[in-house]
């Protein structure tokens, strides 16, 4: 018979999978260490067991004790598995930017979860670090894992992730690309690989809003680098002891948008449903592709599973609200939504009274003014009415070109709606666009509101 004695024995030995379509522009062989195959669906299972193994060995936790940790979910999941199998209680503190799915998963495994505010200093008593520390002092026989500074974290990857990657690539790996949070994954894996071959390049992926890259390049911990971001699992506002800056060759920052789009590509083009930071790693690889050659063997570590982000990066509305979708509503979509698609215009020598009549009949508030088929200006209902009011007696023969304002700005049919507002002015709240049949269309602020 072949079986495991408990779920913890299934941790590790995850597959290395070649990426194909999403790396078609990269000259190197790109392999993904897909850590979703761990029982908790993330790489953090590896270090969770190691932290508890080491705590048990040194007597820091005893039977029936309570595991405490600040975790964005994945470490919590690994620790919850250990707690179930070994009979511990679990209390996790997490930040309010984490997916609800992640928090519910921890609760499903019997853990207690305390949600703390994200946008407070780590030293603030409300932060998830401070709350975890306080609980660990108050609760007897409790062990605060402190994955940031507990070196069992990196050691787990030195003992498992590193050797697996070395063996799976037959020692041919040339580059390791890893998102950096606590730093455990990159530092432990890199230490093993560099011991085997010091020429292997170690590239850390960071987020905008995190201190790592600047600190690595300048030695300066710059608080100005810190601001809220959306990517989950990587980037920090502290320097965890598990980040071994000396072993990392470079840091690359990836934006929230690029990471989200890259994660969606991994799902749709490779069939691998992964978390946000996997997108960061892939986008980082793309940003660094010029440094690679056809002889390189690149390993990306993908930390966690996409099921935890279904309400976020895999949800079109969530993506759209943040302006992350390239399929954002465009001018052409708004034109399609217009009920009356005809293009109305007036000649420059048209009498303004006639123009007012046309506007009333067609329920139009502004019109392009044409001369020899060129659009030379715009006339609006407001400007006509003002003119008639100011010149009540001698307006009958006046031509529209005498009161017209500048032409409406011309925009492309592909202009995203989010940029359209910049084109509208108070005087001319409309734009002109031309479709593939060379047919003009006017799009006013009012059309946009009606379409929405
Ligand atoms: N991605 C995800 C989704 C994570 O949960 C983590 C852990 N914070 C990381 C990347 C970074 O891993 P590490 O903490 O080992 O640097």
């Amino acid at each position: 018979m072949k079986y495991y004695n408990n779920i913890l024995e299934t941790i590790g030995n995850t597959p290395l999978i070649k990426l194909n379509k999403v790396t078609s522009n990269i000259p190197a062989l790109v392999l993904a260490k897909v850590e979703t195959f761990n029982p908790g669906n993330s790489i953090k299972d590896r270090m969770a067991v190691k932290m508890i193994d080491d705590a048990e060995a040194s007597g820091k936790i005893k039977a029936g004790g309570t595991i405490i940790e600040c975790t964005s979910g994945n470490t919590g999941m690994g620790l919850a598995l250990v707690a179930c199998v070994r009979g511990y209680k679990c209390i996790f503190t997490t930040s309010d930017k984490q997916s609800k799915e992640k928090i519910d998963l921890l609760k499903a495994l019997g853990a207690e979860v305390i949600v703390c505010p994200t946008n407070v200093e780590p030293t603030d008593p409300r932060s998830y670090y401070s709350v975890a520390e306080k609980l660990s002092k108050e609760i007897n026989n409790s062990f605060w894992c402190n994955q940031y500074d507990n070196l069992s974290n990196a050691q787990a990857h030195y003992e498992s992730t590193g050797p697996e990657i070395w063996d799976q690539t037959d020692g041919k790996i040339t580059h390791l690309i890893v998102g950096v949070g606590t730093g455990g994954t990159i530092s432990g894996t890199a230490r093993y690989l560099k011991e085997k071959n010091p020429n292997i390049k170690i590239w850390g992926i960071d987020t905008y809003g995190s201190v790592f890259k600047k600190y690595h390049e300048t030695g300066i911990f710059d608080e100005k680098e810190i601001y809220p971001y959306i990517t989950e699992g990587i980037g920090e506002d502290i320097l965890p002891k598990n980040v071994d800056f000396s072993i990392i060759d470079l840091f690359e920052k990836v934006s929230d948008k690029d990471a989200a789009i890259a994660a969606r590509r991994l799902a749709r083009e490779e069939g691998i449903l992964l978390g946000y930071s996997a997108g960061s790693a892939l986008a980082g690889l793309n940003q660094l592709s010029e440094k690679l050659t056809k002889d390189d063997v690149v390993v990306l570590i993908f930390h966690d599973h996409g099921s935890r982000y279904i309400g976020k990066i895999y949800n079109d509305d969530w993506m759209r609200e943040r302006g992350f979708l390239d399929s954002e509503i465009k001018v052409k979509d708004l034109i399609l939504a217009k009920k009356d698609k005809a293009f109305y215009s007036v000649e420059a020598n048209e009498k303004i009274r006639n123009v007012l009549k046309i506007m009333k009949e067609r329920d139009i508030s502004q019109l392009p003014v044409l001369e020899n088929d060129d659009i030379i200006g715009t006339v609006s209902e407001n400007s006509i009415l003002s003119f008639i009011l100011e010149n009540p007696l001698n307006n009958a023969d006046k031509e529209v070109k005498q009161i017209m304002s500048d032409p409406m700005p011309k925009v492309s049919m592909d202009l995203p709606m989010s940029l359209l507002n910049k084109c509208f002015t108070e005087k001319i709240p409309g734009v002109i666009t031309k479709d593939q049949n060379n047919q003009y269309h006017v799009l006013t602020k009012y059309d946009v509101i009606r379409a929405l």
Side-chain angles (χ1 to χ4, degrees), residues 253-297:
K253 277 185 190 261
V254 170
S255 71
D256 292 329
K257 177 178 176 177
D258 291 345
I261 290 169
R264 287 164 69 101
R265 286 195 64 198
L266 282 161
R268 292 174 187 193
E269 295 175 42
E270 304 288 340
I272 317 179
L273 187 61
L274 297 157
Y276 213 139
S277 68
S280 310
L282 175 63
L285 163 74
N286 274 311
Q287 288 171 207
L288 295 165
S289 62
E290 281 180 5
K291 293 183 185 288
L292 297 167
T293 69
K294 68 171 182 30
D295 299 325
D296 289 325
V297 177

Side-chain angles (χ1 to χ4, degrees), residues 42 50 81 102 131 155 168 175 219 257 274 292 406 446:
S42 96
K50 179 72 180 158
L81 298 182
K102 282 186 180 177
V131 174
Q155 185 64 20
Q168 286 171 311
H175 296 75
K257 177 178 176 177
L274 297 157
L292 297 167
D406 288 342
Y446 181 62

Side-chain angles (χ1 to χ4, degrees), residues 145 161 210 233 314:
C145 302
T161 320
S210 155
Y314 297 109

Side-chain angles (χ1 to χ4, degrees), residues 202-234:
I202 309 296
W203 293 347
I205 302 301
D206 194 14
T207 51
Y208 289 92
S210 155
V211 294
F212 289 148
K213 183 174 163 71
K214 174 137 190 202
Y215 183 78
H216 183 249
E217 287 168 7
T218 63
I220 297 167
F221 180 89
D222 186 354
E223 294 200 347
K224 289 199 287 299
E225 292 284 302
I226 302 170
Y227 52 84
Y229 55 88
I230 305 172
T231 306
E232 292 180 36
I234 65 169

Side-chain angles (χ1 to χ4, degrees), residues 179-203:
V180 185
T182 66
T185 310
I186 195 164
S187 307
T189 311
R191 182 154 58 88
Y192 182 88
L193 293 173
K194 288 233 185 196
E195 274 175 18
K196 288 286 183 187
N197 173 3
N199 296 327
I200 296 173
K201 293 277 172 286
I202 309 296
W203 293 347

